Amino acid sequence: MASGLRVPQFAQWSDLLERAAKTAPSAFSGDRLRNLHEGGWQDSGEPSALVTPVDQTGLGYLSKVDERTALAAVGYAHEQHGQWAGVPLAERRARVAAAVEAMTAARDDLALLLAWEIGKPWRLACADVDRALDGVRWYLDNIERMLATDADGRPFQRCPLPGPVSNIASWNYPMSVLVHAELVQLLAGNAVVAKTPTQGGAFCLTVAHALMHDAGLPVTLLSGDGSTLSSALVRSAEIGALAFVGGRDNGGKVAAQLVDTGKRHMLEQEGLNCWGIWEFSDWDGLATHLRKGFEYAKQRCTAYPRFVVQRKLVDQFLAAYLPVVTSARFGHPLATAADDEELPQLDFGPLISAAKAAELRTKVDEALGHGAIPLYRGSLAKGRFLDGQDTSAYVAPTTLLAPAGASRLMHEEPFGPVDTIVVVDTQAELLAQMNASNGALVASIASDDEELAGRLAEHVQAFKVGVNKPRSRGDREEPFGGRGGSWKGAFVGGVHLVHAVTQGPQDELLYGNFPNYNRYPDV
């Protein structure tokens, strides 16, 4: 049956690419992205094709630089850093504010670029851009007091790091994680170097960095493979700090490269975030949280893909959960009815690539082979797609009961719309199953007895543990970090982010998850 859906003209890639090139003319060579280094946009690097997960069509080309080019770029960024560190705070604030306002004017196109590049539904793409810009506005209003104390709140005028901050981030939140962090680092007096994620977000980041560069900010943006650029972006003596967001495999490699450098670092890694459900009855309230949890196919570090449920509550939990998972709205993030110019309100679109979708399906099959029970296996036939559209990057919602210990889904974050449910009989089992991944970023306990939930939360190895509510990365004053293998280095968020990228007194011990000590702020 024909779907009757189409992509409105203003949202089609050809029109969007033309507008992006007009916004940042120096950053584009046709449909090929230039790199920003040594003071301007360069035609350096080898072309590498970019394909959208939305329908597998080509978007254009990255230009991947080699190690020599990256080392030269870092050297120039170090020179920029020395100059920028001497710029008065009032001038830094004015230039960052100008970049924020320029991005505000380009907000809709930045969001549309995210929809095509990483498959983010329109509402969530807009939220990614808005959250970045609103967050930086808050720092613009509060930066003076953040630069005036050490990590223990003692008066001290902080100064920039010895060199620029290197940023290596995953593809899923280009604006609200990567660009947001860079703008705060710049506000604090540091030049910044960023690597575009190879899996997606390069066009959005190119336009954003062009606007930052136009505002007079010392920014460098390079494309390339992590293995090729690691000596420049991770180990270079000219780098003052490293901010990394990604999986544990790559994070572990980065951490190993940092061991002998003594370099300031913030390594955010994945963890299996869990809801624990014990002596609980507010199922309508939980269902509201569950529905929101399917946003962006759970491709975020604070998604909740694991539910650990007291045995006597399993039937009631499923009565609340199954209507949510079966009604999740997914499909082409920009496809509308023929007579409609409003973009669709979906929970999620594709995974980041057809390869990741195939990998997740393999993990599901593996879990089933080890004895997991398929409670729900959605069908792509329920999705909203264009006629004849390639849907190889899409995965329908799936729920598995009791995955075996031998299956990867028992211990690893799926990073997709696949949930697992584990049934327990004791509080000790509840905690053991919630701590299955050696640390997490967030977790939650659902219980009518909030005092009990608070006691249980003390034993959950997650940085933030909610009681009858989910936790998230947070904004503004709220700190963010991880426990166990989910984080290494200084925590971020609010004053902690500013402290992580500035120098305080010699006896200062930053809050963080470090090899020799841990200091956790009140979260």
Side-chain angles (χ1 to χ4, degrees):
M1 181 181 295
S3 69
L5 300 178
R6 51 98 196 193
V7 176
Q9 189 65 40
F10 74 90
Q12 292 183 13
W13 179 251
S14 58
D15 285 34
L16 178 60
L17 180 59
E18 182 178 347
R19 295 198 301 273
K22 288 181 179 179
T23 300
S26 298
F28 288 82
S29 177
D31 62 353
R32 179 175 171 177
L33 299 173
R34 293 187 169 114
N35 290 287
L36 176 59
H37 58 97
E38 297 172 73
W41 292 97
Q42 314 283 349
D43 280 321
S44 51
E46 294 297 319
S48 177
L50 292 170
V51 175
T52 174
V54 171
D55 59 10
Q56 302 303 304
T57 56
L59 298 179
Y61 296 88
L62 281 174
S63 298
K64 292 186 176 181
V65 302
D66 57 18
E67 179 183 2
R68 181 178 178 180
T69 302
L71 286 169
V74 169
Y76 187 88
H78 187 265
E79 294 179 12
Q80 286 183 306
H81 178 82
Q83 298 169 2
W84 182 246
V87 173
L89 176 58
E91 177 63 19
R92 298 202 305 264
R93 182 192 280 121
R95 295 193 199 179
V96 170
V100 167
E101 293 315 304
M103 282 184 255
T104 300
R107 178 258 203 180
D108 286 2
D109 281 348
L110 290 170
L112 285 171
L113 289 169
L114 293 180
W116 276 110
E117 292 193 82
I118 60 177
K120 189 164 280 192
W122 172 243
R123 175 177 58 86
L124 302 179
C126 290
D128 190 6
V129 179
D130 292 344
R131 182 176 171 185
L133 303 181
D134 289 343
V136 176
R137 291 188 184 100
W138 180 83
Y139 280 93
L140 286 165
D141 290 338
N142 290 277
I143 187 63
E144 286 182 327
R145 67 175 176 83
M146 294 180 177
L147 291 173
T149 61
D150 71 1
D152 289 314
R154 298 174 298 185
F156 187 88
Q157 191 58 45
R158 309 184 71 84
C159 61
L161 296 173
V165 181
S166 178
N167 293 269
I168 302 174
S170 58
W171 44 266
N172 53 342
Y173 285 89
M175 292 294 296
S176 62
V177 173
L178 179 54
V179 170
H180 176 275
E182 289 180 88
L183 288 169
V184 177
Q185 294 160 12
L186 287 158
L187 186 60
N190 303 287
V192 300
V193 179
K195 188 181 92 64
T196 56
T198 54
Q199 289 185 291
F203 281 88
C204 177
L205 288 171
T206 295
V207 173
H209 282 77
L211 298 174
M212 293 158 71
H213 176 67
D214 291 346
L217 297 173
V219 293
T220 296
L221 182 67
L222 302 174
S223 295
D225 297 322
S227 58
T228 301
L229 304 186
S230 60
S231 63
L233 302 185
V234 177
R235 290 188 57 82
S236 174
E238 294 168 305
I239 293 294
L242 174 69
F244 170 89
V245 179
R248 288 195 184 184
D249 287 345
N250 288 333
K253 295 174 184 176
V254 169
Q257 292 176 306
L258 288 170
V259 167
D260 62 345
T261 67
K263 198 181 301 295
R264 186 81 60 88
H265 58 278
M266 300 78 78
L267 310 184
E268 177 187 332
Q269 300 167 108
E270 64 190 297
L272 186 59
N273 307 315
C274 300
W275 272 97
I277 299 170
W278 190 267
E279 302 295 348
F280 181 70
S281 63
D282 182 15
W283 302 110
D284 289 341
L286 181 62
T288 299
H289 295 312
L290 296 177
R291 182 170 299 283
K292 185 174 178 60
F294 271 99
E295 289 183 349
Y296 197 33
K298 302 202 172 188
Q299 294 179 104
R300 60 187 189 279
C301 64
T302 54
Y304 284 78
R306 167 66 52 80
F307 300 92
V308 183
V309 186
Q310 186 179 14
R311 186 177 301 276
K312 71 176 186 179
L313 299 180
V314 170
D315 58 337
Q316 297 174 71
F317 170 76
L318 292 179
Y321 172 87
L322 288 175
V324 171
V325 69
T326 57
S327 61
R329 302 161 298 174
F330 63 94
H332 191 303
L334 300 172
T336 67
D339 58 349
D340 192 356
E341 290 293 317
E342 293 292 329
L343 297 175
Q345 296 294 309
L346 301 179
D347 296 309
F348 62 90
L351 269 61
I352 189 56
S353 68
K356 285 296 182 183
E359 178 184 324
L360 185 54
R361 294 189 197 99
T362 298
K363 289 182 180 180
V364 170
D365 291 341
E366 175 189 79
L368 292 171
H370 285 299
I373 300 168
L375 287 181
Y376 180 72
R377 300 194 74 176
S379 169
L380 292 186
K382 292 187 63 177
R384 288 171 49 94
F385 299 110
L386 301 176
D387 296 334
Q389 179 186 334
D390 188 318
T391 60
S392 56
Y394 293 79
V395 173
T398 301
T399 307
L400 304 179
L401 175 66
S407 63
R408 285 176 287 176
L409 286 179
M410 184 59 188
H411 305 282
E412 297 178 5
E413 182 181 23
F415 226 64
V418 175
D419 286 343
T420 54
I421 299 172
V422 176
V423 179
V424 296
D425 293 295
T426 67
Q427 293 177 17
E429 285 182 287
L430 179 86
L431 293 172
Q433 294 295 347
M434 291 188 71
N435 293 327
S437 69
N438 181 30
L441 302 173
V442 296
S444 292
I445 302 284
S447 178
D448 294 341
D449 186 340
E450 294 194 5
E451 183 178 346
L452 171 62
R455 293 199 301 270
L456 291 171
E458 294 177 0
H459 301 284
V460 175
Q461 292 302 302
F463 182 75
K464 297 180 181 180
V465 183
V467 173
N468 295 325
K469 64 180 181 181
R471 299 304 305 271
S472 67
R473 199 173 212 278
D475 289 306
R476 303 178 182 179
E477 287 284 13
E478 190 174 4
F480 188 61
R483 292 183 184 261
S486 68
W487 195 281
K488 295 182 186 300
F491 295 146
V492 297
V495 70
H496 302 289
L497 173 53
V498 173
H499 285 180
V501 296
T502 53
Q503 297 183 94
Q506 288 187 340
D507 65 345
E508 179 180 56
L509 294 178
L510 295 176
Y511 285 97
N513 185 352
F514 297 96
N516 298 322
Y517 66 92
N518 290 273
R519 299 218 305 165
Y520 289 88
D522 182 12
V523 295

